[in-house]
Amino acid sequence: MFKSLLKLFGVGSKSSCTCGCSAEGNKVRELEHFVDYVVRALVDYPDEVNVSSREAENGTVISIDCRKEDIGKVVGKRGKTIMAIRSLVSGAGGRLQQRISVEVVD
């Protein structure tokens, strides 16, 4: 999992494609899987976590849907956990020259 995250941030990659090909779509998919992995590790009911992505007018939005009881664990104390996830995803998205945001569905 961490190797794929390092690839998303460009560490150790031998080639960098800036042509806008489908490889970027695949990397957005990898970010979605990364968010899914982290959220499932945090919650009490990992089988009920659903992470999906959609295109919005200002970029890609990765949505996290889970039980109401688990939302607090995803958000964290004073929002620090979700801010950390958003920061990682936003940084990796910046390397892809895309705007990617993360939201928690109520």
Side-chain angles (χ1 to χ4, degrees):
M1 179 55 59
F2 294 109
K3 288 182 182 179
S4 64
L5 184 61
L6 289 174
K7 277 195 274 182
L8 288 171
F9 280 102
V11 176
S13 64
K14 295 179 182 173
S15 66
S16 60
C17 179
T18 58
C19 65
C21 60
S22 64
E24 288 183 4
N26 190 25
K27 292 196 178 197
V28 172
R29 203 74 155 136
E30 288 180 16
L31 276 174
E32 185 180 331
H33 289 297
F34 169 73
V35 171
D36 184 59
Y37 174 79
V38 170
V39 170
R40 286 181 189 270
L42 291 171
V43 299
D44 289 334
Y45 301 97
D47 295 335
E48 297 186 27
V49 171
N50 184 22
V51 176
S52 61
S53 62
R54 62 181 164 80
E55 291 296 320
E57 58 192 35
N58 58 352
T60 305
V61 178
I62 297 176
S63 300
I64 302 169
D65 189 18
C66 61
R67 275 190 161 193
K68 298 264 186 217
E69 299 90 35
D70 287 334
I71 289 176
K73 292 185 172 94
V74 174
V75 173
K77 196 172 197 175
R78 296 185 183 166
K80 287 191 175 192
T81 304
I82 193 65
M83 283 192 297
I85 294 170
R86 285 177 176 155
S87 178
L88 286 169
V89 170
S90 177
R95 306 249 317 139
L96 298 173
Q97 297 177 347
Q98 293 183 357
R99 182 173 183 166
I100 303 173
S101 59
V102 179
E103 69 177 21
V104 180
V105 179
D106 292 339

XYZ file of all heavy atoms in Angstrom:
801
model
N 0.831 -1.191 0.000
C 0.000 0.000 0.000
C 0.873 1.252 0.000
O 0.598 2.209 -0.688
C -0.935 -0.035 1.204
C -1.828 1.184 1.323
S -2.855 1.617 -0.102
C -3.816 0.164 -0.304
N 1.911 1.217 0.802
C 2.764 2.388 0.878
C 3.599 2.568 -0.391
O 3.930 3.683 -0.752
C 3.654 2.331 2.115
C 2.849 2.423 3.379
C 2.700 1.335 4.211
C 2.225 3.604 3.726
C 1.952 1.427 5.356
C 1.468 3.701 4.876
C 1.330 2.612 5.697
N 3.909 1.467 -1.065
C 4.627 1.572 -2.326
C 3.782 2.288 -3.363
O 4.282 3.114 -4.121
C 5.025 0.192 -2.835
C 6.138 -0.448 -2.049
C 6.513 -1.784 -2.618
C 7.595 -2.437 -1.781
N 7.961 -3.742 -2.307
N 2.480 1.982 -3.387
C 1.609 2.669 -4.346
C 1.451 4.139 -3.975
O 1.359 4.997 -4.858
C 0.240 1.989 -4.430
O -0.440 2.082 -3.206
N 1.462 4.455 -2.695
C 1.387 5.854 -2.275
C 2.660 6.593 -2.679
O 2.599 7.727 -3.140
C 1.183 5.954 -0.763
C 1.004 7.350 -0.203
C -0.228 8.020 -0.791
C 0.915 7.319 1.302
N 3.803 5.945 -2.537
C 5.054 6.560 -2.964
C 5.058 6.784 -4.469
O 5.558 7.797 -4.954
C 6.244 5.692 -2.553
C 6.546 5.651 -1.055
C 7.656 4.654 -0.759
C 6.928 7.025 -0.547
N 4.476 5.845 -5.229
C 4.384 6.028 -6.674
C 3.500 7.220 -7.011
O 3.769 7.960 -7.943
C 3.823 4.773 -7.334
C 4.857 3.708 -7.581
C 4.343 2.669 -8.533
C 3.572 1.616 -7.783
N 3.068 0.545 -8.619
N 2.427 7.408 -6.244
C 1.529 8.529 -6.497
C 2.225 9.862 -6.281
O 1.946 10.839 -6.969
C 0.294 8.450 -5.587
C -0.696 7.359 -5.940
C -1.749 7.248 -4.851
C -1.350 7.643 -7.269
N 3.134 9.910 -5.322
C 3.858 11.139 -5.061
C 5.108 11.267 -5.925
O 5.854 12.223 -5.805
C 4.234 11.245 -3.583
C 3.095 11.706 -2.731
C 2.380 10.826 -1.963
C 2.719 13.035 -2.732
C 1.327 11.252 -1.184
C 1.672 13.472 -1.962
C 0.968 12.582 -1.186
N 5.362 10.272 -6.784
C 6.462 10.376 -7.730
C 7.795 9.938 -7.188
O 8.809 10.136 -7.829
N 7.833 9.336 -6.018
C 9.101 8.883 -5.452
C 9.459 7.556 -6.096
O 8.686 6.613 -6.088
C 8.992 8.696 -3.919
C 10.278 8.130 -3.354
C 8.634 10.008 -3.266
N 10.628 7.513 -6.703
C 11.105 6.271 -7.292
C 10.498 5.954 -8.642
O 10.708 4.879 -9.155
N 9.744 6.856 -9.226
C 9.178 6.584 -10.543
C 10.197 6.918 -11.612
O 10.892 7.919 -11.534
C 7.890 7.387 -10.766
O 8.173 8.760 -10.758
N 10.280 6.073 -12.625
C 11.279 6.251 -13.659
C 10.780 7.119 -14.793
O 11.561 7.717 -15.500
C 11.712 4.893 -14.189
C 12.419 4.073 -13.129
C 12.819 2.737 -13.641
C 13.466 1.929 -12.535
N 13.749 0.581 -12.897
N 9.474 7.172 -14.985
C 8.941 7.989 -16.071
C 7.822 8.861 -15.542
O 7.089 8.477 -14.649
C 8.416 7.094 -17.188
O 7.313 6.359 -16.728
N 7.713 10.047 -16.110
C 6.634 10.936 -15.730
C 5.906 11.353 -16.996
O 6.494 11.920 -17.909
C 7.163 12.162 -14.995
O 8.043 12.867 -15.826
N 4.649 11.022 -17.054
C 3.842 11.309 -18.233
C 3.001 12.542 -17.964
O 2.266 12.595 -16.993
C 2.945 10.115 -18.542
S 1.890 10.360 -19.955
N 3.136 13.533 -18.828
C 2.330 14.747 -18.686
C 1.408 14.932 -19.875
O 0.949 16.018 -20.155
C 3.247 15.986 -18.565
O 4.071 16.046 -19.724
C 4.078 15.921 -17.305
N 1.118 13.844 -20.579
C 0.314 13.950 -21.787
C -1.176 13.897 -21.504
O -1.978 14.087 -22.403
C 0.690 12.848 -22.766
S 0.315 11.190 -22.163
N -1.599 13.600 -20.283
C -3.026 13.534 -19.962
C -3.649 12.218 -20.387
O -4.839 12.150 -20.660
N -2.863 11.163 -20.438
C -3.384 9.875 -20.897
C -4.150 9.180 -19.777
O -4.311 9.696 -18.687
C -2.241 9.006 -21.394
S -1.001 8.652 -20.154
N -4.612 7.977 -20.046
C -5.449 7.258 -19.081
C -4.683 6.815 -17.846
O -5.283 6.338 -16.892
C -6.083 6.045 -19.753
O -5.082 5.128 -20.138
N -3.369 6.949 -17.829
C -2.590 6.591 -16.641
C -2.990 7.468 -15.461
O -2.973 7.029 -14.319
C -1.099 6.728 -16.921
N -3.390 8.720 -15.734
C -3.820 9.596 -14.649
C -5.135 9.113 -14.059
O -5.355 9.206 -12.861
C -3.946 11.035 -15.145
C -2.609 11.678 -15.404
C -2.719 13.125 -15.818
O -3.846 13.650 -15.838
O -1.689 13.714 -16.113
N -6.031 8.615 -14.895
C -7.280 8.056 -14.394
C -7.027 6.867 -13.498
O -7.710 6.666 -12.498
N -6.031 6.077 -13.848
C -5.650 4.930 -13.040
C -5.085 5.383 -11.708
O -5.323 4.765 -10.676
C -4.638 4.074 -13.797
C -4.373 2.754 -13.123
O -5.199 2.245 -12.377
N -3.218 2.203 -13.389
N -4.344 6.490 -11.695
C -3.775 6.996 -10.444
C -4.854 7.562 -9.538
O -4.761 7.447 -8.320
C -2.696 8.030 -10.734
C -1.490 7.393 -11.378
C -0.293 8.262 -11.321
C 0.871 7.506 -11.963
N 2.132 8.063 -11.620
N -5.881 8.152 -10.112
C -7.014 8.605 -9.305
C -7.688 7.400 -8.671
O -8.088 7.432 -7.504
C -8.010 9.426 -10.151
C -9.271 9.717 -9.370
C -7.368 10.713 -10.625
N -7.770 6.302 -9.413
C -8.324 5.060 -8.881
C -7.474 4.552 -7.726
O -7.990 4.055 -6.733
C -8.373 4.036 -10.007
C -9.352 2.977 -9.785
C -10.711 3.574 -10.006
N -11.627 2.560 -10.381
C -12.836 2.478 -9.867
N -13.239 3.374 -8.998
N -13.650 1.550 -10.232
N -6.150 4.662 -7.863
C -5.258 4.240 -6.778
C -5.452 5.108 -5.542
O -5.391 4.609 -4.410
C -3.804 4.296 -7.236
C -3.426 3.217 -8.217
C -1.978 3.301 -8.654
O -1.195 4.002 -7.985
O -1.638 2.665 -9.655
N -5.683 6.387 -5.728
C -5.966 7.270 -4.591
C -7.260 6.861 -3.906
O -7.361 6.886 -2.682
C -6.066 8.722 -5.053
C -4.761 9.474 -5.176
C -4.997 10.839 -5.781
C -4.090 9.607 -3.836
N -8.246 6.505 -4.699
C -9.516 6.039 -4.138
C -9.298 4.782 -3.304
O -9.840 4.654 -2.201
C -10.490 5.766 -5.282
C -11.872 5.397 -4.834
C -12.791 5.133 -6.012
O -12.584 5.732 -7.093
O -13.713 4.328 -5.840
N -8.477 3.862 -3.799
C -8.176 2.645 -3.041
C -7.380 2.961 -1.771
O -7.568 2.318 -0.739
C -7.411 1.646 -3.907
C -8.248 1.030 -4.972
N -9.340 0.239 -4.715
C -8.174 1.125 -6.316
C -9.884 -0.154 -5.838
N -9.196 0.392 -6.843
N -6.506 3.944 -1.836
C -5.747 4.362 -0.657
C -6.692 4.892 0.428
O -6.587 4.518 1.596
C -4.719 5.425 -1.033
C -4.098 6.088 0.164
C -3.188 5.415 0.956
C -4.438 7.383 0.503
C -2.620 6.021 2.072
C -3.876 7.995 1.604
C -2.968 7.316 2.389
N -7.629 5.745 0.032
C -8.598 6.290 0.992
C -9.423 5.151 1.580
O -9.670 5.103 2.791
C -9.498 7.348 0.320
C -10.640 7.755 1.235
C -8.680 8.564 -0.075
N -9.838 4.206 0.742
C -10.614 3.061 1.210
C -9.821 2.262 2.237
O -10.344 1.891 3.290
C -10.999 2.194 0.016
C -11.880 1.033 0.394
O -12.978 1.282 0.938
O -11.490 -0.129 0.144
N -8.557 2.016 1.972
C -7.698 1.260 2.879
C -7.574 1.955 4.236
O -7.720 1.323 5.296
C -6.323 1.074 2.238
C -5.302 0.430 3.128
C -5.291 -0.946 3.326
C -4.341 1.197 3.776
C -4.344 -1.542 4.148
C -3.394 0.612 4.593
C -3.405 -0.755 4.778
O -2.476 -1.338 5.603
N -7.323 3.254 4.217
C -7.132 4.001 5.464
C -8.427 4.042 6.265
O -8.431 3.806 7.483
C -6.617 5.427 5.165
C -6.644 6.281 6.411
C -5.218 5.377 4.594
N -9.538 4.323 5.609
C -10.810 4.441 6.314
C -11.222 3.100 6.901
O -11.683 3.030 8.044
C -11.900 5.012 5.376
C -13.274 4.911 6.008
C -11.581 6.448 5.023
N -11.050 2.020 6.149
C -11.405 0.696 6.690
C -10.569 0.332 7.911
O -11.026 -0.373 8.796
C -11.251 -0.370 5.616
C -12.352 -0.333 4.586
C -12.172 -1.423 3.541
N -13.099 -1.257 2.460
C -14.324 -1.800 2.430
N -14.729 -2.544 3.423
N -15.118 -1.601 1.401
N -9.332 0.815 7.963
C -8.479 0.547 9.122
C -8.925 1.343 10.343
O -8.660 0.939 11.474
C -7.029 0.877 8.784
N -9.622 2.448 10.142
C -10.024 3.313 11.258
C -11.343 2.919 11.906
O -11.518 3.110 13.099
C -10.144 4.761 10.766
C -8.857 5.466 10.374
C -9.181 6.803 9.717
C -7.975 5.673 11.579
N -12.280 2.395 11.141
C -13.649 2.229 11.612
C -13.877 0.883 12.288
O -13.076 -0.043 12.164
C -14.654 2.410 10.450
C -14.538 3.790 9.853
C -14.465 1.350 9.392
N -15.017 0.793 13.000
C -15.400 -0.454 13.662
C -16.098 -1.426 12.714
O -16.078 -2.626 12.932
C -16.334 -0.159 14.834
C -15.619 0.502 15.994
O -14.398 0.308 16.131
O -16.287 1.236 16.757
N -16.749 -0.905 11.676
C -17.491 -1.727 10.721
C -16.911 -1.533 9.316
O -17.504 -0.852 8.475
C -18.976 -1.359 10.732
C -19.612 -1.537 12.088
C -19.765 -0.455 12.955
C -20.045 -2.781 12.519
C -20.341 -0.613 14.208
C -20.611 -2.954 13.765
C -20.754 -1.860 14.609
O -21.329 -2.016 15.844
N -15.754 -2.136 9.042
C -15.103 -1.899 7.745
C -15.881 -2.448 6.552
O -15.730 -1.948 5.439
C -13.750 -2.593 7.886
C -13.910 -3.563 8.987
C -14.957 -3.008 9.897
N -16.728 -3.439 6.774
C -17.500 -3.995 5.660
C -18.579 -3.041 5.167
O -19.086 -3.211 4.060
C -18.144 -5.324 6.068
C -17.093 -6.393 6.344
O -15.983 -6.280 5.796
O -17.393 -7.325 7.102
N -18.926 -2.054 5.955
C -19.973 -1.113 5.581
C -19.421 0.210 5.057
O -20.157 1.177 4.933
C -20.909 -0.881 6.772
C -21.628 -2.153 7.175
C -22.666 -1.924 8.240
O -23.204 -0.809 8.319
O -22.936 -2.873 8.991
N -18.144 0.235 4.754
C -17.519 1.430 4.191
C -17.637 1.368 2.668
O -17.370 0.326 2.060
C -16.034 1.525 4.605
C -15.332 2.633 3.853
C -15.924 1.737 6.102
N -18.041 2.479 2.082
C -18.124 2.578 0.633
C -17.398 3.855 0.201
O -17.778 4.948 0.608
C -19.585 2.603 0.179
C -19.709 2.599 -1.323
O -18.811 2.192 -2.027
N -20.842 3.063 -1.802
N -16.365 3.706 -0.597
C -15.605 4.845 -1.110
C -15.808 4.886 -2.621
O -15.587 3.893 -3.304
C -14.101 4.723 -0.768
C -13.320 5.852 -1.377
C -13.912 4.698 0.737
N -16.249 6.028 -3.098
C -16.485 6.189 -4.530
C -15.959 7.542 -4.980
O -15.750 8.442 -4.171
C -17.976 6.062 -4.843
O -18.704 7.059 -4.164
N -15.771 7.681 -6.281
C -15.309 8.963 -6.812
C -16.232 9.393 -7.937
O -16.858 8.562 -8.602
C -13.867 8.852 -7.307
O -13.781 7.929 -8.356
N -16.300 10.694 -8.124
C -17.119 11.257 -9.192
C -16.464 12.538 -9.667
O -15.704 13.171 -8.941
C -18.542 11.528 -8.721
C -18.636 12.543 -7.599
C -20.085 12.769 -7.150
N -20.141 13.433 -5.880
C -19.984 14.746 -5.714
N -19.788 15.513 -6.755
N -20.044 15.287 -4.518
N -16.751 12.885 -10.894
C -16.249 14.124 -11.461
C -17.196 15.259 -11.079
O -18.408 15.120 -11.194
C -16.149 14.024 -12.984
C -15.065 13.084 -13.462
C -13.680 13.541 -13.077
O -13.406 14.750 -13.148
O -12.860 12.679 -12.714
N -16.651 16.361 -10.628
C -17.420 17.556 -10.293
C -16.915 18.693 -11.172
O -15.942 18.543 -11.918
C -17.265 17.902 -8.819
N -17.570 19.829 -11.066
C -17.176 20.963 -11.913
C -15.779 21.490 -11.592
O -15.125 22.071 -12.438
C -18.193 22.085 -11.796
C -18.385 22.588 -10.380
C -19.586 23.488 -10.238
O -20.580 23.242 -10.915
O -19.486 24.427 -9.431
N -15.322 21.281 -10.353
C -14.000 21.786 -9.978
C -12.984 20.669 -9.735
O -11.985 20.888 -9.069
C -14.106 22.691 -8.745
C -14.706 21.979 -7.561
O -15.183 20.857 -7.679
N -14.695 22.617 -6.412
N -13.213 19.474 -10.264
C -12.263 18.382 -10.116
C -12.945 17.092 -9.718
O -14.146 16.933 -9.857
N -12.170 16.191 -9.205
C -12.662 14.888 -8.771
C -12.955 14.922 -7.277
O -12.184 15.482 -6.505
C -11.623 13.795 -9.068
O -11.285 13.827 -10.452
C -12.143 12.424 -8.720
N -14.062 14.299 -6.878
C -14.443 14.222 -5.470
C -14.485 12.754 -5.067
O -15.171 11.948 -5.697
C -15.828 14.868 -5.225
C -16.229 14.721 -3.766
C -15.830 16.319 -5.647
N -13.731 12.407 -4.036
C -13.766 11.061 -3.467
C -14.673 11.117 -2.252
O -14.415 11.869 -1.308
C -12.356 10.582 -3.082
C -11.472 10.497 -4.332
C -12.428 9.228 -2.380
C -10.038 10.127 -4.051
N -15.756 10.330 -2.285
C -16.755 10.335 -1.209
C -16.591 9.108 -0.323
O -16.410 7.996 -0.818
C -18.164 10.336 -1.799
O -18.362 11.460 -2.599
N -16.678 9.342 0.980
C -16.599 8.266 1.968
C -17.977 8.117 2.592
O -18.506 9.067 3.165
C -15.567 8.582 3.068
C -14.189 8.823 2.468
C -15.539 7.466 4.109
C -13.191 9.394 3.452
N -18.544 6.933 2.493
C -19.845 6.642 3.086
C -19.665 5.503 4.079
O -19.149 4.438 3.716
C -20.849 6.256 2.000
C -22.265 6.152 2.516
O -22.551 6.686 3.604
O -23.093 5.522 1.829
N -20.047 5.731 5.330
C -19.914 4.709 6.358
C -21.044 4.869 7.376
O -21.871 5.761 7.258
C -18.548 4.787 7.031
S -18.210 6.336 7.861
N -21.051 4.003 8.370
C -22.052 4.097 9.431
C -21.925 5.404 10.189
O -20.847 5.969 10.308
C -21.858 2.964 10.436
C -22.527 1.694 10.069
C -22.455 0.754 11.252
N -23.448 -0.277 11.097
C -23.809 -1.088 12.061
N -23.247 -0.983 13.246
N -24.710 -2.001 11.852
N -23.045 5.858 10.738
C -23.052 7.104 11.515
C -22.101 7.016 12.710
O -21.457 7.994 13.064
C -24.462 7.413 12.015
C -25.467 7.632 10.913
C -25.609 9.079 10.638
C -26.730 9.272 9.631
N -26.483 10.312 8.699
N -22.011 5.843 13.324
C -21.155 5.675 14.496
C -19.668 5.812 14.139
O -18.843 6.143 14.985
C -21.364 4.300 15.143
C -22.773 4.048 15.634
C -23.646 3.424 14.558
O -23.153 2.620 13.754
O -24.840 3.763 14.517
N -19.340 5.529 12.884
C -17.941 5.547 12.468
C -17.494 6.888 11.901
O -16.294 7.095 11.688
C -17.695 4.453 11.420
C -17.706 3.062 12.024
O -17.400 2.946 13.228
O -17.998 2.097 11.304
N -18.407 7.792 11.645
C -18.040 9.083 11.064
C -17.073 9.823 11.987
O -16.112 10.440 11.526
C -19.291 9.930 10.758
C -20.040 9.315 9.578
C -18.919 11.366 10.437
C -21.341 9.999 9.240
N -17.289 9.741 13.284
C -16.398 10.406 14.235
C -14.977 9.884 14.169
O -14.016 10.638 14.333
N -14.824 8.599 13.905
C -13.486 8.022 13.796
C -12.794 8.473 12.521
O -11.582 8.656 12.493
C -13.578 6.510 13.853
C -14.016 6.018 15.213
C -13.987 4.523 15.276
C -14.227 4.081 16.672
N -15.566 3.770 17.007
N -13.569 8.641 11.458
C -12.991 9.104 10.189
C -12.594 10.577 10.302
O -11.531 10.979 9.841
C -13.977 8.887 9.025
C -13.450 9.483 7.741
C -14.266 7.404 8.834
N -13.453 11.375 10.940
C -13.177 12.802 11.067
C -12.061 13.043 12.079
O -11.170 13.856 11.852
C -14.456 13.565 11.456
C -14.156 15.002 11.767
C -15.482 13.468 10.343
N -12.090 12.337 13.191
C -11.049 12.482 14.201
C -11.290 13.674 15.113
O -12.167 14.498 14.895
N -10.470 13.766 16.125
C -10.583 14.846 17.088
C -10.224 16.168 16.419
O -9.140 16.300 15.837
C -9.641 14.573 18.260
C -9.931 15.390 19.478
C -9.063 14.899 20.624
C -9.605 15.394 21.931
N -8.851 14.830 23.057
N -11.156 17.104 16.469
C -11.020 18.422 15.836
C -10.754 18.334 14.333
O -10.159 19.220 13.742
C -9.926 19.238 16.503
C -10.228 19.574 17.935
C -9.173 20.468 18.497
N -9.447 20.718 19.918
C -8.580 21.240 20.739
N -7.379 21.585 20.313
N -8.892 21.439 22.001
N -11.153 17.209 13.727
C -11.028 17.061 12.285
C -9.634 16.748 11.793
O -9.353 16.833 10.595
N -8.763 16.346 12.696
C -7.369 16.139 12.300
C -7.185 14.939 11.371
O -6.352 14.984 10.463
C -6.481 15.983 13.528
C -6.279 17.294 14.250
C -5.199 17.175 15.275
C -4.964 18.549 15.879
N -3.758 18.598 16.662
N -7.944 13.875 11.570
C -7.782 12.684 10.739
C -8.205 12.954 9.305
O -7.475 12.650 8.363
C -8.578 11.509 11.325
O -8.168 11.290 12.674
C -8.349 10.233 10.531
N -9.388 13.538 9.117
C -9.856 13.812 7.766
C -8.983 14.883 7.106
O -8.749 14.840 5.897
C -11.355 14.185 7.737
C -11.907 14.147 6.301
C -11.605 15.521 8.363
C -11.910 12.820 5.656
N -8.473 15.820 7.880
C -7.563 16.821 7.307
C -6.275 16.169 6.807
O -5.738 16.565 5.768
C -7.247 17.922 8.318
C -8.370 18.925 8.479
S -7.913 20.404 9.403
C -7.520 19.763 11.010
N -5.782 15.169 7.527
C -4.570 14.463 7.100
C -4.828 13.674 5.822
O -4.005 13.687 4.895
C -4.086 13.535 8.209
N -5.975 12.995 5.752
C -6.328 12.254 4.545
C -6.468 13.213 3.369
O -5.957 12.966 2.275
C -7.632 11.452 4.765
C -7.405 10.348 5.803
C -8.134 10.859 3.458
C -8.671 9.654 6.260
N -7.155 14.323 3.590
C -7.340 15.312 2.519
C -6.003 15.882 2.064
O -5.798 16.126 0.872
C -8.253 16.439 3.000
C -9.699 16.039 3.076
C -10.548 17.146 3.631
N -11.949 16.782 3.613
C -12.860 17.273 4.410
N -12.535 18.178 5.317
N -14.122 16.880 4.319
N -5.113 16.098 2.997
C -3.810 16.648 2.656
C -3.011 15.687 1.777
O -2.401 16.101 0.783
C -3.038 16.963 3.933
O -1.772 17.453 3.643
N -3.009 14.415 2.129
C -2.302 13.418 1.327
C -2.898 13.304 -0.071
O -2.173 13.274 -1.073
C -2.330 12.060 2.022
C -1.425 11.904 3.232
C -1.742 10.622 3.970
C 0.026 11.921 2.790
N -4.225 13.244 -0.142
C -4.903 13.102 -1.441
C -4.698 14.354 -2.286
O -4.435 14.276 -3.485
C -6.398 12.784 -1.239
C -7.159 12.866 -2.540
C -6.563 11.406 -0.620
N -4.801 15.504 -1.661
C -4.618 16.759 -2.390
C -3.188 16.886 -2.911
O -2.969 17.332 -4.042
C -4.949 17.937 -1.479
O -4.715 19.146 -2.122
N -2.224 16.486 -2.112
C -0.828 16.534 -2.545
C -0.555 15.599 -3.710
O 0.119 15.964 -4.669
N -1.100 14.388 -3.636
C -0.927 13.445 -4.742
C -1.667 13.944 -5.979
O -1.179 13.808 -7.102
C -1.433 12.066 -4.341
N -2.823 14.545 -5.788
C -3.565 15.118 -6.910
C -2.826 16.267 -7.555
O -2.855 16.442 -8.772
N -2.147 17.054 -6.758
C -1.344 18.154 -7.288
C -0.222 17.653 -8.172
O 0.117 18.276 -9.176
N 0.355 16.513 -7.811
C 1.404 15.927 -8.644
C 0.835 15.445 -9.973
O 1.538 15.373 -10.961
C 2.078 14.760 -7.941
C 2.601 15.131 -6.592
C 4.015 15.218 -6.308
N 4.952 14.266 -6.764
C 6.138 14.661 -7.236
N 6.420 15.924 -7.334
N 7.024 13.776 -7.592
N -0.463 15.110 -9.980
C -1.132 14.704 -11.217
C -1.696 15.903 -11.976
O -2.311 15.730 -13.013
C -2.284 13.744 -10.893
C -1.932 12.429 -10.224
C -3.190 11.683 -9.829
C -1.074 11.588 -11.146
N -1.523 17.074 -11.415
C -2.076 18.316 -11.945
C -3.596 18.242 -12.049
O -4.197 18.635 -13.039
C -1.451 18.653 -13.296
C 0.028 18.898 -13.201
C 0.678 19.156 -14.523
O 0.107 18.943 -15.576
N 1.909 19.632 -14.460
N -4.200 17.701 -10.995
C -5.655 17.602 -10.888
C -6.074 18.052 -9.504
O -5.314 17.922 -8.543
C -6.138 16.160 -11.077
C -5.932 15.616 -12.449
C -6.500 14.215 -12.560
O -7.000 13.645 -11.590
N -6.416 13.641 -13.733
N -7.287 18.550 -9.409
C -7.825 18.904 -8.109
C -8.688 17.737 -7.632
O -9.675 17.381 -8.262
C -8.665 20.176 -8.213
C -9.182 20.592 -6.888
C -9.852 21.919 -6.957
N -10.259 22.276 -5.609
C -10.635 23.456 -5.259
N -10.688 24.420 -6.140
N -10.980 23.698 -4.024
N -8.282 17.145 -6.528
C -8.992 16.005 -5.958
C -9.311 16.335 -4.513
O -8.430 16.709 -3.745
C -8.144 14.716 -6.039
C -7.750 14.450 -7.489
C -8.909 13.537 -5.461
C -6.794 13.307 -7.664
N -10.584 16.200 -4.150
C -11.001 16.488 -2.785
C -11.661 15.254 -2.177
O -12.070 14.333 -2.893
C -11.960 17.679 -2.750
O -13.092 17.417 -3.532
N -11.749 15.237 -0.859
C -12.338 14.120 -0.124
C -13.464 14.667 0.727
O -13.287 15.668 1.430
C -11.285 13.421 0.766
C -11.912 12.281 1.550
C -10.113 12.930 -0.066
N -14.616 13.998 0.687
C -15.743 14.401 1.527
C -16.324 13.192 2.237
O -16.252 12.068 1.720
C -16.827 15.111 0.707
C -17.552 14.226 -0.253
C -18.670 14.965 -0.976
O -18.644 16.196 -1.040
O -19.552 14.277 -1.488
N -16.853 13.423 3.416
C -17.509 12.374 4.193
C -19.015 12.595 4.065
O -19.531 13.670 4.388
C -17.086 12.433 5.674
C -17.773 11.325 6.468
C -15.572 12.313 5.806
N -19.712 11.577 3.592
C -21.153 11.656 3.379
C -21.863 11.416 4.702
O -21.539 10.482 5.429
C -21.597 10.622 2.323
C -23.095 10.691 2.107
C -20.858 10.845 1.034
N -22.827 12.277 5.008
C -23.595 12.114 6.255
C -24.613 11.015 6.136
O -25.348 10.872 5.275
C -24.324 13.416 6.598
C -23.339 14.500 6.987
O -22.217 14.161 7.372
O -23.698 15.674 6.903
